[in-house]
Amino acid sequence: MQETWSDHVDQLLDEREREQHRVDLDRATVVVTNRRVLAFTPDEDGPNYRSADRPNVTRVSVETDSAPGRLLWGSLFLCLGLGLLLIGTTVDLAGLADDYAGATGDPTGIVDAALETLATILLVFDLSILVGGGLLLALAALFFAGYARSRWRRLALRVSGGDDILLPVTDADLEAGRAVALEEAILPNTSPADGDAGGDSPTDGLSTGDPSTDDASIDGPSTNDPSTAGVDESG
């Protein structure tokens, strides 16, 4: 089995950068380091690998991409196609010309010949209406299919100040909670020990029971020294 770059993340890490968490999706792999978010999509269109600074990844969400314009155009072509097919199958313009051709009573036959020519033209026009209606229905089907493909779900990593990272996601990925695990991995790490850093000692300002340390906490010199009692400091 051919190895991929997601199996050799250590070769892509900077100095003092280390891998902290890995989320393996069905069709993608995301590695979270202490500095960046690395996304590997070797089987998708576009780049096989993208990265973003971890603080710039502001949100992880499951979104459904769609193209409403395709749905609108598909609906328009569907209505036009059905309308043309309805006209082409219910209105026989060529038949009307044939009916008039036999009832003119023109002994020269010039009018009948003109009507026959008109009937031929109208027959071609009727066929064109049917063909045009079929083509419009085919276009409507293409636009509806494009709209259905555009509604594929994606795992979106919103990157502040850069292009978002879109990853393919499946129902199995969502049921396994991989999207939630990825978002939690990207968030800043917090620890109860962080709040104790630089804090005051729990014994500050309290007596420890040691006379040597307790006396040292008393401000000012002692005035009870017998050797200095009664001495006139004024000279």
Side-chain angles (χ1 to χ4, degrees), residues 28 69 126 170 179 202 207 212 214:
D126 287 339
T170 63
S207 174
S212 61
D214 289 346

Side-chain angles (χ1 to χ4, degrees), residues 3 15 44 64 76-77 137 142-143 167 192-193 215 235:
E3 294 185 344
E15 185 179 359
E44 298 296 311
T64 301
L76 178 61
F77 288 143
L137 290 181
L142 291 177
F143 276 96
L167 305 173
D215 292 341

Side-chain angles (χ1 to χ4, degrees), residues 142-223:
L142 291 177
F143 276 96
F144 284 135
Y147 176 75
R149 286 196 301 269
S150 70
R151 287 185 58 83
W152 289 348
R153 284 185 298 185
R154 292 288 186 268
L155 185 63
L157 278 62
R158 297 302 176 190
V159 180
S160 176
D163 295 334
D164 297 333
I165 300 177
L166 303 179
L167 305 173
V169 65
T170 63
D171 292 336
D173 294 330
L174 300 179
E175 292 173 358
R178 292 165 186 160
V180 177
L182 178 58
E183 184 174 22
E184 293 177 349
I186 295 175
L187 292 177
N189 293 331
T190 58
S191 173
D194 294 344
D196 296 336
D200 295 336
S201 171
T203 60
D204 288 350
L206 299 180
S207 174
T208 61
D210 187 352
S212 61
T213 58
D214 289 346
D215 292 341
S217 64
I218 300 176
D219 295 333
S222 175
T223 58

